[in-house]
Amino acid sequence: MSFMTMLSKKFSLVDRSEALPGREAAIVAPGRHTVNGEPIDRPAEGTLEEVLLGLGCFWGAERLFWTLPGVVVTAVGYAGGYTPNPTYHEVCTGRTGHTEAVRVLFDTSVLSRKELLRHFWEGHDPTQGMRQGNDTGTQYRSAIYYATDEMHQAAEATRDAYAAALKAAGKSASITTEIRPMEAFYFAEDYHQQYLDKNPNGYCGLGGTGVSCPAPAAG
């Protein structure tokens, strides 16, 4: 494969027919969150709801969310692609179709969907396509994969509000964030989980636009 072909694949989503085959078995058995001790695969029940959020390198993104009041537990993994149970190195080839994502389980009675998403929009630059800052490739694309109709509505409403705020601030680029129903989520390897708790001085690639997302109405 030529260098130019490899480069083009890095910035365009792989076709399902060309995706890596993956494997039947999970690459990791979900453990407990190193910050709060909760099972990282705790199910959504009662007032708890899950959403998968992609905003660049998942190390810094996960820390952003585990600090928010109302977030019960977070985990990092791979979502939005084709390859079952991929490894990190496979995702980095661009041939699985996945983006790095944070699974956020939050209590809707404490933290509203729109307030959660306000932190998502402000925590990265959602106009960059297949990159986030210096991190380039399809695995760094911006994404919201929702589990409920209410989150779908909140995602589109906050996207539109943030797009208007970016335009008012003189930003001409359009938001490229994927918004679609949640499908499979594959937990990443243990060393990625809560990486910045284990490595406080580790790399954090988060960087927003400097534009605030309008204060959300309830919901």
mmCIF file of all heavy atoms in Angstrom, residues 44-92:
data_model
loop_
_atom_site.group_PDB
_atom_site.id
_atom_site.type_symbol
_atom_site.label_atom_id
_atom_site.label_comp_id
_atom_site.label_asym_id
_atom_site.label_seq_id
_atom_site.Cartn_x
_atom_site.Cartn_y
_atom_site.Cartn_z
ATOM 1 N N ALA A 44 -27.449 0.879 32.715
ATOM 2 C CA ALA A 44 -28.335 2.035 32.828
ATOM 3 C C ALA A 44 -29.690 1.531 33.302
ATOM 4 O O ALA A 44 -30.336 0.735 32.623
ATOM 5 C CB ALA A 44 -28.465 2.736 31.480
ATOM 6 N N GLU A 45 -30.118 1.983 34.462
ATOM 7 C CA GLU A 45 -31.404 1.573 35.019
ATOM 8 C C GLU A 45 -31.940 2.691 35.892
ATOM 9 O O GLU A 45 -31.174 3.523 36.400
ATOM 10 C CB GLU A 45 -31.264 0.278 35.821
ATOM 11 C CG GLU A 45 -30.179 0.327 36.874
ATOM 12 C CD GLU A 45 -29.858 -1.040 37.452
ATOM 13 O OE1 GLU A 45 -30.443 -2.036 36.998
ATOM 14 O OE2 GLU A 45 -29.004 -1.108 38.363
ATOM 15 N N GLY A 46 -33.252 2.735 36.049
ATOM 16 C CA GLY A 46 -33.858 3.806 36.830
ATOM 17 C C GLY A 46 -33.633 5.149 36.161
ATOM 18 O O GLY A 46 -33.932 5.333 34.980
ATOM 19 N N THR A 47 -33.058 6.099 36.900
ATOM 20 C CA THR A 47 -32.787 7.429 36.356
ATOM 21 C C THR A 47 -31.413 7.513 35.697
ATOM 22 O O THR A 47 -30.996 8.597 35.271
ATOM 23 C CB THR A 47 -32.882 8.498 37.456
ATOM 24 O OG1 THR A 47 -31.939 8.186 38.504
ATOM 25 C CG2 THR A 47 -34.285 8.561 38.042
ATOM 26 N N LEU A 48 -30.719 6.378 35.618
ATOM 27 C CA LEU A 48 -29.391 6.371 34.991
ATOM 28 C C LEU A 48 -29.528 6.171 33.487
ATOM 29 O O LEU A 48 -30.334 5.374 33.022
ATOM 30 C CB LEU A 48 -28.513 5.266 35.580
ATOM 31 C CG LEU A 48 -28.294 5.278 37.088
ATOM 32 C CD1 LEU A 48 -27.280 4.204 37.485
ATOM 33 C CD2 LEU A 48 -27.843 6.646 37.573
ATOM 34 N N GLU A 49 -28.718 6.906 32.734
ATOM 35 C CA GLU A 49 -28.736 6.823 31.271
ATOM 36 C C GLU A 49 -27.297 6.811 30.767
ATOM 37 O O GLU A 49 -26.422 7.438 31.368
ATOM 38 C CB GLU A 49 -29.485 8.016 30.689
ATOM 39 C CG GLU A 49 -29.648 7.982 29.174
ATOM 40 C CD GLU A 49 -30.528 9.114 28.663
ATOM 41 O OE1 GLU A 49 -31.570 9.390 29.294
ATOM 42 O OE2 GLU A 49 -30.159 9.735 27.639
ATOM 43 N N GLU A 50 -27.074 6.108 29.681
ATOM 44 C CA GLU A 50 -25.731 6.081 29.101
ATOM 45 C C GLU A 50 -25.715 6.782 27.755
ATOM 46 O O GLU A 50 -26.716 6.836 27.037
ATOM 47 C CB GLU A 50 -25.208 4.656 28.960
ATOM 48 C CG GLU A 50 -25.939 3.793 27.960
ATOM 49 C CD GLU A 50 -25.336 2.408 27.821
ATOM 50 O OE1 GLU A 50 -24.088 2.285 27.788
ATOM 51 O OE2 GLU A 50 -26.107 1.437 27.743
ATOM 52 N N VAL A 51 -24.546 7.320 27.427
ATOM 53 C CA VAL A 51 -24.310 7.930 26.133
ATOM 54 C C VAL A 51 -22.846 7.705 25.807
ATOM 55 O O VAL A 51 -21.998 7.626 26.711
ATOM 56 C CB VAL A 51 -24.663 9.439 26.144
ATOM 57 C CG1 VAL A 51 -23.773 10.217 27.106
ATOM 58 C CG2 VAL A 51 -24.594 10.036 24.739
ATOM 59 N N LEU A 52 -22.536 7.562 24.525
ATOM 60 C CA LEU A 52 -21.154 7.412 24.077
ATOM 61 C C LEU A 52 -20.730 8.705 23.403
ATOM 62 O O LEU A 52 -21.402 9.175 22.481
ATOM 63 C CB LEU A 52 -21.031 6.242 23.093
ATOM 64 C CG LEU A 52 -21.575 4.893 23.556
ATOM 65 C CD1 LEU A 52 -21.377 3.837 22.463
ATOM 66 C CD2 LEU A 52 -20.914 4.444 24.855
ATOM 67 N N LEU A 53 -19.622 9.268 23.871
ATOM 68 C CA LEU A 53 -19.168 10.573 23.387
ATOM 69 C C LEU A 53 -17.739 10.469 22.863
ATOM 70 O O LEU A 53 -16.838 10.014 23.571
ATOM 71 C CB LEU A 53 -19.240 11.606 24.514
ATOM 72 C CG LEU A 53 -20.634 11.817 25.124
ATOM 73 C CD1 LEU A 53 -20.541 12.735 26.347
ATOM 74 C CD2 LEU A 53 -21.588 12.400 24.090
ATOM 75 N N GLY A 54 -17.544 10.901 21.614
ATOM 76 C CA GLY A 54 -16.215 10.943 21.018
ATOM 77 C C GLY A 54 -15.764 12.378 20.855
ATOM 78 O O GLY A 54 -16.451 13.173 20.207
ATOM 79 N N LEU A 55 -14.639 12.718 21.451
ATOM 80 C CA LEU A 55 -14.130 14.088 21.333
ATOM 81 C C LEU A 55 -12.613 14.108 21.332
ATOM 82 O O LEU A 55 -11.971 14.915 21.992
ATOM 83 C CB LEU A 55 -14.691 15.000 22.429
ATOM 84 C CG LEU A 55 -14.571 14.643 23.915
ATOM 85 C CD1 LEU A 55 -14.773 15.925 24.762
ATOM 86 C CD2 LEU A 55 -15.598 13.636 24.350
ATOM 87 N N GLY A 56 -12.039 13.210 20.529
ATOM 88 C CA GLY A 56 -10.595 13.147 20.439
ATOM 89 C C GLY A 56 -10.048 12.050 21.325
ATOM 90 O O GLY A 56 -10.751 11.098 21.679
ATOM 91 N N CYS A 57 -8.777 12.161 21.683
ATOM 92 C CA CYS A 57 -8.125 11.154 22.522
ATOM 93 C C CYS A 57 -8.944 10.902 23.780
ATOM 94 O O CYS A 57 -9.253 11.829 24.526
ATOM 95 C CB CYS A 57 -6.719 11.624 22.894
ATOM 96 S SG CYS A 57 -5.863 10.500 24.026
ATOM 97 N N PHE A 58 -9.279 9.645 24.024
ATOM 98 C CA PHE A 58 -10.206 9.368 25.122
ATOM 99 C C PHE A 58 -9.589 9.464 26.507
ATOM 100 O O PHE A 58 -10.298 9.444 27.514
ATOM 101 C CB PHE A 58 -10.946 8.051 24.946
ATOM 102 C CG PHE A 58 -10.132 6.807 24.642
ATOM 103 C CD1 PHE A 58 -8.782 6.696 24.937
ATOM 104 C CD2 PHE A 58 -10.754 5.717 24.049
ATOM 105 C CE1 PHE A 58 -8.065 5.541 24.675
ATOM 106 C CE2 PHE A 58 -10.060 4.537 23.777
ATOM 107 C CZ PHE A 58 -8.716 4.453 24.095
ATOM 108 N N TRP A 59 -8.280 9.612 26.619
ATOM 109 C CA TRP A 59 -7.676 9.765 27.946
ATOM 110 C C TRP A 59 -8.175 11.029 28.649
ATOM 111 O O TRP A 59 -8.702 10.985 29.753
ATOM 112 C CB TRP A 59 -6.157 9.813 27.837
ATOM 113 C CG TRP A 59 -5.509 8.540 27.393
ATOM 114 C CD1 TRP A 59 -6.061 7.284 27.339
ATOM 115 C CD2 TRP A 59 -4.164 8.397 26.930
ATOM 116 N NE1 TRP A 59 -5.150 6.391 26.866
ATOM 117 C CE2 TRP A 59 -3.983 7.019 26.619
ATOM 118 C CE3 TRP A 59 -3.100 9.287 26.749
ATOM 119 C CZ2 TRP A 59 -2.760 6.527 26.143
ATOM 120 C CZ3 TRP A 59 -1.887 8.793 26.276
ATOM 121 C CH2 TRP A 59 -1.726 7.433 25.971
ATOM 122 N N GLY A 60 -7.977 12.170 28.002
ATOM 123 C CA GLY A 60 -8.416 13.423 28.606
ATOM 124 C C GLY A 60 -9.924 13.562 28.615
ATOM 125 O O GLY A 60 -10.503 14.135 29.550
ATOM 126 N N ALA A 61 -10.572 13.029 27.579
ATOM 127 C CA ALA A 61 -12.026 13.129 27.503
ATOM 128 C C ALA A 61 -12.678 12.413 28.682
ATOM 129 O O ALA A 61 -13.645 12.918 29.274
ATOM 130 C CB ALA A 61 -12.517 12.547 26.184
ATOM 131 N N GLU A 62 -12.156 11.237 29.041
ATOM 132 C CA GLU A 62 -12.765 10.520 30.158
ATOM 133 C C GLU A 62 -12.646 11.315 31.453
ATOM 134 O O GLU A 62 -13.607 11.402 32.233
ATOM 135 C CB GLU A 62 -12.140 9.128 30.331
ATOM 136 C CG GLU A 62 -12.862 8.347 31.414
ATOM 137 C CD GLU A 62 -12.251 6.995 31.749
ATOM 138 O OE1 GLU A 62 -11.073 6.755 31.394
ATOM 139 O OE2 GLU A 62 -12.948 6.192 32.389
ATOM 140 N N ARG A 63 -11.491 11.892 31.703
ATOM 141 C CA ARG A 63 -11.322 12.665 32.940
ATOM 142 C C ARG A 63 -12.287 13.843 33.001
ATOM 143 O O ARG A 63 -12.808 14.166 34.075
ATOM 144 C CB ARG A 63 -9.879 13.170 33.080
ATOM 145 C CG ARG A 63 -9.642 13.944 34.368
ATOM 146 C CD ARG A 63 -8.188 14.279 34.578
ATOM 147 N NE ARG A 63 -7.647 15.142 33.544
ATOM 148 C CZ ARG A 63 -6.371 15.539 33.505
ATOM 149 N NH1 ARG A 63 -5.523 15.144 34.439
ATOM 150 N NH2 ARG A 63 -5.952 16.317 32.517
ATOM 151 N N LEU A 64 -12.529 14.499 31.866
ATOM 152 C CA LEU A 64 -13.492 15.601 31.835
ATOM 153 C C LEU A 64 -14.826 15.163 32.418
ATOM 154 O O LEU A 64 -15.432 15.876 33.230
ATOM 155 C CB LEU A 64 -13.679 16.072 30.390
ATOM 156 C CG LEU A 64 -14.859 17.014 30.125
ATOM 157 C CD1 LEU A 64 -14.660 18.342 30.824
ATOM 158 C CD2 LEU A 64 -15.056 17.225 28.630
ATOM 159 N N PHE A 65 -15.296 13.972 32.042
ATOM 160 C CA PHE A 65 -16.631 13.553 32.446
ATOM 161 C C PHE A 65 -16.682 12.948 33.838
ATOM 162 O O PHE A 65 -17.690 13.116 34.547
ATOM 163 C CB PHE A 65 -17.217 12.600 31.405
ATOM 164 C CG PHE A 65 -17.455 13.266 30.082
ATOM 165 C CD1 PHE A 65 -16.719 12.925 28.960
ATOM 166 C CD2 PHE A 65 -18.396 14.284 29.964
ATOM 167 C CE1 PHE A 65 -16.923 13.560 27.750
ATOM 168 C CE2 PHE A 65 -18.599 14.927 28.763
ATOM 169 C CZ PHE A 65 -17.869 14.565 27.654
ATOM 170 N N TRP A 66 -15.638 12.232 34.273
ATOM 171 C CA TRP A 66 -15.740 11.625 35.604
ATOM 172 C C TRP A 66 -15.732 12.684 36.711
ATOM 173 O O TRP A 66 -16.139 12.409 37.841
ATOM 174 C CB TRP A 66 -14.711 10.523 35.821
ATOM 175 C CG TRP A 66 -13.332 10.896 36.288
ATOM 176 C CD1 TRP A 66 -12.983 11.680 37.363
ATOM 177 C CD2 TRP A 66 -12.081 10.445 35.723
ATOM 178 N NE1 TRP A 66 -11.612 11.748 37.497
ATOM 179 C CE2 TRP A 66 -11.035 10.996 36.508
ATOM 180 C CE3 TRP A 66 -11.748 9.618 34.656
ATOM 181 C CZ2 TRP A 66 -9.687 10.752 36.248
ATOM 182 C CZ3 TRP A 66 -10.411 9.377 34.399
ATOM 183 C CH2 TRP A 66 -9.391 9.942 35.167
ATOM 184 N N THR A 67 -15.320 13.902 36.387
ATOM 185 C CA THR A 67 -15.309 14.965 37.406
ATOM 186 C C THR A 67 -16.662 15.666 37.555
ATOM 187 O O THR A 67 -16.830 16.462 38.485
ATOM 188 C CB THR A 67 -14.247 16.027 37.070
ATOM 189 O OG1 THR A 67 -14.578 16.665 35.826
ATOM 190 C CG2 THR A 67 -12.858 15.405 36.966
ATOM 191 N N LEU A 68 -17.610 15.396 36.656
ATOM 192 C CA LEU A 68 -18.869 16.132 36.675
ATOM 193 C C LEU A 68 -19.832 15.558 37.711
ATOM 194 O O LEU A 68 -20.077 14.347 37.727
ATOM 195 C CB LEU A 68 -19.537 16.084 35.299
ATOM 196 C CG LEU A 68 -18.790 16.717 34.128
ATOM 197 C CD1 LEU A 68 -19.629 16.596 32.863
ATOM 198 C CD2 LEU A 68 -18.449 18.167 34.415
ATOM 199 N N PRO A 69 -20.418 16.396 38.564
ATOM 200 C CA PRO A 69 -21.454 15.929 39.480
ATOM 201 C C PRO A 69 -22.619 15.327 38.688
ATOM 202 O O PRO A 69 -23.077 15.906 37.708
ATOM 203 C CB PRO A 69 -21.881 17.202 40.219
ATOM 204 C CG PRO A 69 -20.703 18.122 40.115
ATOM 205 C CD PRO A 69 -20.113 17.834 38.762
ATOM 206 N N GLY A 70 -23.058 14.163 39.114
ATOM 207 C CA GLY A 70 -24.142 13.488 38.409
ATOM 208 C C GLY A 70 -23.666 12.374 37.507
ATOM 209 O O GLY A 70 -24.465 11.520 37.103
ATOM 210 N N VAL A 71 -22.377 12.353 37.162
ATOM 211 C CA VAL A 71 -21.818 11.246 36.394
ATOM 212 C C VAL A 71 -21.498 10.116 37.365
ATOM 213 O O VAL A 71 -20.775 10.316 38.346
ATOM 214 C CB VAL A 71 -20.565 11.671 35.606
ATOM 215 C CG1 VAL A 71 -19.860 10.446 35.025
ATOM 216 C CG2 VAL A 71 -20.946 12.630 34.485
ATOM 217 N N VAL A 72 -22.048 8.943 37.105
ATOM 218 C CA VAL A 72 -21.906 7.804 38.004
ATOM 219 C C VAL A 72 -20.622 7.029 37.722
ATOM 220 O O VAL A 72 -19.890 6.652 38.631
ATOM 221 C CB VAL A 72 -23.136 6.883 37.888
ATOM 222 C CG1 VAL A 72 -22.968 5.617 38.725
ATOM 223 C CG2 VAL A 72 -24.391 7.638 38.310
ATOM 224 N N VAL A 73 -20.344 6.785 36.453
ATOM 225 C CA VAL A 73 -19.129 6.070 36.087
ATOM 226 C C VAL A 73 -18.810 6.343 34.622
ATOM 227 O O VAL A 73 -19.707 6.648 33.818
ATOM 228 C CB VAL A 73 -19.268 4.550 36.355
ATOM 229 C CG1 VAL A 73 -20.192 3.875 35.354
ATOM 230 C CG2 VAL A 73 -17.912 3.862 36.403
ATOM 231 N N THR A 74 -17.548 6.247 34.289
ATOM 232 C CA THR A 74 -17.087 6.417 32.910
ATOM 233 C C THR A 74 -16.216 5.229 32.524
ATOM 234 O O THR A 74 -15.686 4.514 33.382
ATOM 235 C CB THR A 74 -16.257 7.706 32.741
ATOM 236 O OG1 THR A 74 -15.133 7.657 33.649
ATOM 237 C CG2 THR A 74 -17.090 8.935 33.035
ATOM 238 N N ALA A 75 -16.061 5.041 31.235
ATOM 239 C CA ALA A 75 -15.140 4.036 30.701
ATOM 240 C C ALA A 75 -14.773 4.455 29.290
ATOM 241 O O ALA A 75 -15.517 5.193 28.637
ATOM 242 C CB ALA A 75 -15.769 2.649 30.693
ATOM 243 N N VAL A 76 -13.631 3.990 28.814
ATOM 244 C CA VAL A 76 -13.227 4.312 27.448
ATOM 245 C C VAL A 76 -13.279 3.062 26.584
ATOM 246 O O VAL A 76 -13.133 1.930 27.059
ATOM 247 C CB VAL A 76 -11.807 4.937 27.396
ATOM 248 C CG1 VAL A 76 -11.794 6.265 28.122
ATOM 249 C CG2 VAL A 76 -10.757 3.999 27.974
ATOM 250 N N GLY A 77 -13.509 3.298 25.297
ATOM 251 C CA GLY A 77 -13.581 2.182 24.376
ATOM 252 C C GLY A 77 -13.754 2.641 22.949
ATOM 253 O O GLY A 77 -13.441 3.793 22.608
ATOM 254 N N TYR A 78 -14.272 1.754 22.147
ATOM 255 C CA TYR A 78 -14.346 1.965 20.705
ATOM 256 C C TYR A 78 -15.799 1.816 20.243
ATOM 257 O O TYR A 78 -16.494 0.873 20.616
ATOM 258 C CB TYR A 78 -13.446 0.954 19.997
ATOM 259 C CG TYR A 78 -12.081 0.849 20.641
ATOM 260 C CD1 TYR A 78 -11.658 -0.328 21.262
ATOM 261 C CD2 TYR A 78 -11.238 1.957 20.702
ATOM 262 C CE1 TYR A 78 -10.425 -0.417 21.880
ATOM 263 C CE2 TYR A 78 -9.996 1.881 21.330
ATOM 264 C CZ TYR A 78 -9.593 0.691 21.924
ATOM 265 O OH TYR A 78 -8.377 0.626 22.556
ATOM 266 N N ALA A 79 -16.247 2.773 19.422
ATOM 267 C CA ALA A 79 -17.653 2.791 19.013
ATOM 268 C C ALA A 79 -17.782 3.363 17.605
ATOM 269 O O ALA A 79 -16.893 4.060 17.108
ATOM 270 C CB ALA A 79 -18.477 3.631 19.992
ATOM 271 N N GLY A 80 -18.914 3.075 16.978
ATOM 272 C CA GLY A 80 -19.232 3.678 15.692
ATOM 273 C C GLY A 80 -18.653 2.994 14.483
ATOM 274 O O GLY A 80 -18.770 3.507 13.365
ATOM 275 N N GLY A 81 -18.029 1.827 14.676
ATOM 276 C CA GLY A 81 -17.384 1.164 13.552
ATOM 277 C C GLY A 81 -17.938 -0.207 13.266
ATOM 278 O O GLY A 81 -19.084 -0.514 13.599
ATOM 279 N N TYR A 82 -17.124 -1.060 12.662
ATOM 280 C CA TYR A 82 -17.558 -2.361 12.179
ATOM 281 C C TYR A 82 -16.869 -3.538 12.862
ATOM 282 O O TYR A 82 -17.489 -4.578 13.069
ATOM 283 C CB TYR A 82 -17.290 -2.470 10.672
ATOM 284 C CG TYR A 82 -17.869 -1.340 9.854
ATOM 285 C CD1 TYR A 82 -17.047 -0.533 9.070
ATOM 286 C CD2 TYR A 82 -19.234 -1.080 9.860
ATOM 287 C CE1 TYR A 82 -17.571 0.506 8.312
ATOM 288 C CE2 TYR A 82 -19.769 -0.046 9.116
ATOM 289 C CZ TYR A 82 -18.926 0.746 8.341
ATOM 290 O OH TYR A 82 -19.454 1.786 7.602
ATOM 291 N N THR A 83 -15.596 -3.412 13.166
ATOM 292 C CA THR A 83 -14.804 -4.533 13.662
ATOM 293 C C THR A 83 -15.211 -4.927 15.074
ATOM 294 O O THR A 83 -15.151 -4.088 15.983
ATOM 295 C CB THR A 83 -13.309 -4.175 13.628
ATOM 296 O OG1 THR A 83 -12.932 -3.868 12.282
ATOM 297 C CG2 THR A 83 -12.451 -5.311 14.154
ATOM 298 N N PRO A 84 -15.607 -6.172 15.308
ATOM 299 C CA PRO A 84 -15.969 -6.578 16.667
ATOM 300 C C PRO A 84 -14.737 -6.761 17.556
ATOM 301 O O PRO A 84 -13.724 -7.313 17.124
ATOM 302 C CB PRO A 84 -16.697 -7.906 16.455
ATOM 303 C CG PRO A 84 -16.162 -8.433 15.175
ATOM 304 C CD PRO A 84 -15.857 -7.238 14.324
ATOM 305 N N ASN A 85 -14.837 -6.251 18.786
ATOM 306 C CA ASN A 85 -13.779 -6.398 19.783
ATOM 307 C C ASN A 85 -12.392 -6.019 19.257
ATOM 308 O O ASN A 85 -11.451 -6.822 19.292
ATOM 309 C CB ASN A 85 -13.763 -7.840 20.320
ATOM 310 C CG ASN A 85 -15.058 -8.186 21.021
ATOM 311 O OD1 ASN A 85 -15.415 -7.571 22.025
ATOM 312 N ND2 ASN A 85 -15.773 -9.163 20.498
ATOM 313 N N PRO A 86 -12.246 -4.795 18.746
ATOM 314 C CA PRO A 86 -10.951 -4.397 18.193
ATOM 315 C C PRO A 86 -9.939 -4.081 19.284
ATOM 316 O O PRO A 86 -10.299 -3.767 20.422
ATOM 317 C CB PRO A 86 -11.307 -3.114 17.427
ATOM 318 C CG PRO A 86 -12.398 -2.508 18.259
ATOM 319 C CD PRO A 86 -13.221 -3.688 18.727
ATOM 320 N N THR A 87 -8.684 -4.149 18.929
ATOM 321 C CA THR A 87 -7.624 -3.680 19.813
ATOM 322 C C THR A 87 -7.339 -2.208 19.504
ATOM 323 O O THR A 87 -7.743 -1.689 18.450
ATOM 324 C CB THR A 87 -6.327 -4.470 19.614
ATOM 325 O OG1 THR A 87 -5.816 -4.181 18.293
ATOM 326 C CG2 THR A 87 -6.558 -5.957 19.764
ATOM 327 N N TYR A 88 -6.620 -1.563 20.404
ATOM 328 C CA TYR A 88 -6.247 -0.165 20.185
ATOM 329 C C TYR A 88 -5.446 -0.017 18.901
ATOM 330 O O TYR A 88 -5.686 0.903 18.107
ATOM 331 C CB TYR A 88 -5.435 0.338 21.383
ATOM 332 C CG TYR A 88 -4.912 1.740 21.227
ATOM 333 C CD1 TYR A 88 -5.772 2.831 21.250
ATOM 334 C CD2 TYR A 88 -3.550 1.978 21.061
ATOM 335 C CE1 TYR A 88 -5.295 4.127 21.111
ATOM 336 C CE2 TYR A 88 -3.062 3.268 20.922
ATOM 337 C CZ TYR A 88 -3.937 4.336 20.948
ATOM 338 O OH TYR A 88 -3.454 5.618 20.808
ATOM 339 N N HIS A 89 -4.506 -0.903 18.692
ATOM 340 C CA HIS A 89 -3.653 -0.785 17.504
ATOM 341 C C HIS A 89 -4.462 -0.988 16.230
ATOM 342 O O HIS A 89 -4.199 -0.330 15.215
ATOM 343 C CB HIS A 89 -2.492 -1.779 17.591
ATOM 344 C CG HIS A 89 -1.527 -1.471 18.698
ATOM 345 N ND1 HIS A 89 -0.737 -0.341 18.711
ATOM 346 C CD2 HIS A 89 -1.263 -2.117 19.864
ATOM 347 C CE1 HIS A 89 -0.008 -0.309 19.808
ATOM 348 N NE2 HIS A 89 -0.312 -1.378 20.532
ATOM 349 N N GLU A 90 -5.452 -1.850 16.266
ATOM 350 C CA GLU A 90 -6.311 -2.026 15.097
ATOM 351 C C GLU A 90 -7.130 -0.771 14.828
ATOM 352 O O GLU A 90 -7.273 -0.342 13.674
ATOM 353 C CB GLU A 90 -7.237 -3.231 15.303
ATOM 354 C CG GLU A 90 -6.521 -4.569 15.217
ATOM 355 C CD GLU A 90 -7.394 -5.737 15.643
ATOM 356 O OE1 GLU A 90 -8.423 -5.513 16.310
ATOM 357 O OE2 GLU A 90 -7.028 -6.888 15.303
ATOM 358 N N VAL A 91 -7.664 -0.158 15.862
ATOM 359 C CA VAL A 91 -8.425 1.079 15.699
ATOM 360 C C VAL A 91 -7.548 2.162 15.084
ATOM 361 O O VAL A 91 -7.992 2.931 14.216
ATOM 362 C CB VAL A 91 -9.023 1.528 17.052
ATOM 363 C CG1 VAL A 91 -9.628 2.924 16.940
ATOM 364 C CG2 VAL A 91 -10.083 0.535 17.519
ATOM 365 N N CYS A 92 -6.300 2.222 15.517
ATOM 366 C CA CYS A 92 -5.392 3.259 15.019
ATOM 367 C C CYS A 92 -5.037 3.096 13.550
ATOM 368 O O CYS A 92 -4.555 4.046 12.923
ATOM 369 C CB CYS A 92 -4.111 3.292 15.859
ATOM 370 S SG CYS A 92 -4.340 3.978 17.513
#
